[in-house]
Amino acid sequence: MTTLDIPELALVALVGVSGSGKSTFAGRHFAPTQVLSSDAFRAMVADDENDQSASAEAFDVLHYVAGKRLRAGRLTVVDATNLQPHARAGLVRVAREHDVLPVAIVLDVPEALAWERTEGRADRMFGRPVLARMQRDLRRTYGQLAREGFRKVHVLRGVDEIDAAEIRYEKLFNDRKELTGPFDIVGDVHGCRAELEALLIRLGWEPRRDAEGRPVDATHPSGRTAVFVGDLVDRGPDSPGVLRLVMGMVAAGHALCVPGNHEQKLLRKLRGRDVRLTHGLAETMAQLADEPDGFVAEVATFVDGLTSHFVLDGGRLVVAHAGLKEAYQGRASGRVRSFALYGETTGETDEYGLPVRYPWAREYRGSAMVVYGHTPTPEPEWVNNTICVDTGCVFGGRLTALRYPERELVSVPAEREWYAPARPLAAAPARPDEVLELADVTGRRHVEHPYGSLTVPAENAAAALEVMSRFAVDPARLVWLPPTMAPCSTSTVDGFLEHPAQAFADYRAAGVDRVVCEEKHMGSRAVVLVARDPAGPFGGGVVHTRTGRPFFGEPLDTALLDRVRAAVGAAGLWEELDTDWLLLDTELLPWSAKAGGLIREQYAGVGAAGRAALPAALAALDAAVGRGLDLGDLRDSTARRRDEIVAYTEAYRAYVGPTEGLRGVTLAPFAVLAGAKATYADRDHGWHLDLADRLCVAAPEFFTPTRRQVVDLSEAAAEAEATRWWLALTAAGGEGMVVKPYAGPAARSERGSLLQPGIKCRGREYLRIIYGPGYTEPEQLALLRRRSLGRKRGMALREHGLGLAALDALVAGAPLWRRHELVFAILACESEPVDPRL
């Protein structure tokens, strides 16, 4: 048996004369969808697979399809004679364009057998001289395939060898998806051996030393694996020491390492190439001169064997020295290796004479996390699920590692500046803090923040951009958006879709022992950012909706801000919180003040039609029943529908009130989110509501208090009392309540994950507005109880985490573009296909 090793992802060219058995071989070893036959493509474009005049067009289409398959990461086999250099050159070009390896499998059978097979096919109409010419071309092909760029060439001679062949797939060297970590990914070391030891020890590694006390390996008691991003050598004081330690760890299976551009330059020098001793190479060569020749040879072998990049953890993690675009991940070609080693430059140089790097990470939209080094940065920064961990240790900065999957950064300071950088390590940022760029928010984007991460699909970003660009307030004043709120688990209490028992059970299951039940005001969510001075920060402030639009527009928004500003001053909050601005989360009442048009168009019409039609229908049915017709069941169901439409009308009318300008309008505050010096997300809800009460006392004609109940979830009596309170609240026309962890907006579960910021529990009658007048009918209620809440809850948590991160960034003075990225992502989440009634 002959075993043919081919990469799992490759372009395989079958090479052989007509009648050599290429199609039979392809059918035996490859799936039909993997094989592209030149005959089939000729038939496709010319209705005749033997029409040689259509070959150019057929191969044009074949190359196009092959490219599509390779771009998608699919093995592709080309069944054609492939005897002419120009035909093979086209295949090699397609493979290189998609950064996969071209492989040739040559089938060489005796000419007589090939002619016998060809004569037996009625569709082959050429003479034996043509076959003889093919055989001569095949002989010339042998010595050309490797030179033409085929990375593997397998030659099968004779029928027996062809029939006995077996295909064995081999992974590319960069494919280590089976390794799931955990990993400690170490940035550019550059000969700083002492700092590397210190970092490993801080990460929990235990060094092993040789007889001379030099570190030659390290192990981690938790079985972690170190991954080095390259640039182990040059500039620093002990490149041999770094190499000795890293080589030992790799040899022992305790570490992985990708090459950096400095290793590649060192290798060329060790191989005798003419290399300039610049950028620290002179120091490395001087240090290696004191090492045994055997060690230097081991270094050359080690560097020569390094793989350009690694794809790890099922494809979720990619490590490369200078980073790697999504299209290159898991591929193998010269340009992939070049990008992994050097990145991509614009062709320009900066004021320090250094090449200007193309900002590939800002355009990255891949799902895999990419960790890299190469370009030193003062602070590691997440950009679209990529992070550079080179923090310039050799230049007096720090040596940094990323713990994966924890996403925790660990670093140690440099002992000193070992090498003066050509460009100052802490150079000023390239763009002003207040500049926004379209590329920051368009396309598919991955957003990392301290509370988690998420991917924003391109279509969601487009929808958010439409709202932001056409309707939203100034991004500089759009500092936070409230998260959506999920309902409690579906009730099992007869007649109820939502009930406090399930809300309490939801939080109890998450490990919460104390909650606050807040009256849910039926109004319109209003975010109020108010400055102490009307000409102060944020232009004096802004009032906007939960999607970032101006609330009423001018002059009402300014008048509303003036009232809030005065109340904050009267309550003494400016001085107490030592701030010149505050961000408040509120509800503006009544609902009709903002949603009058919606009520008229969507709800009042249904109510008016039902109230007009159903009594007349019921009167007619009463008359018919009085005449003895058997319509009792229909009459009863119509009566129920009349009662339901009346209840429906009363439900939405409860939230309609007369307003003129701000006359009749009130504001119900329930959270003070942030001020100039701190976010208040870590304060408990008792603190937030106490401040809200003080605003109500300061301006009772404008602020409406939020009634609440604090519930200890370990006490059944407390739950029962809160349930009675909720029943009374909703019976009086209230919407319901919101149950929140008492610990505050940033509360976390016992496992450290964010909790739902609030769970709404809406009243039985209020839900008629949402689900329709007759939703309490048993059959409809049974259907609604099968509603799925998972997507809504996931959206609420994602938006909540983004909002907390936006508040942190605001108070920390982060650039506007960084803050806006988070707020924009909240709005983009709102485009998720979630049932709007939830």
Side-chain angles (χ1 to χ4, degrees), residues 385-400:
N385 207 22
T386 77
I387 189 168
C388 175
V389 290
D390 179 5
T391 47
C393 181
V394 76
F395 301 126
R398 292 173 295 155
L399 185 61
T400 297

Side-chain angles (χ1 to χ4, degrees), residues 340-364:
L341 285 170
Y342 307 104
E344 192 173 20
T345 63
T346 65
E348 304 167 300
T349 56
D350 62 17
E351 65 270 31
Y352 303 102
L354 299 176
V356 177
R357 307 289 178 190
Y358 188 81
W360 66 273
R362 291 179 59 187
E363 298 178 0
Y364 182 71

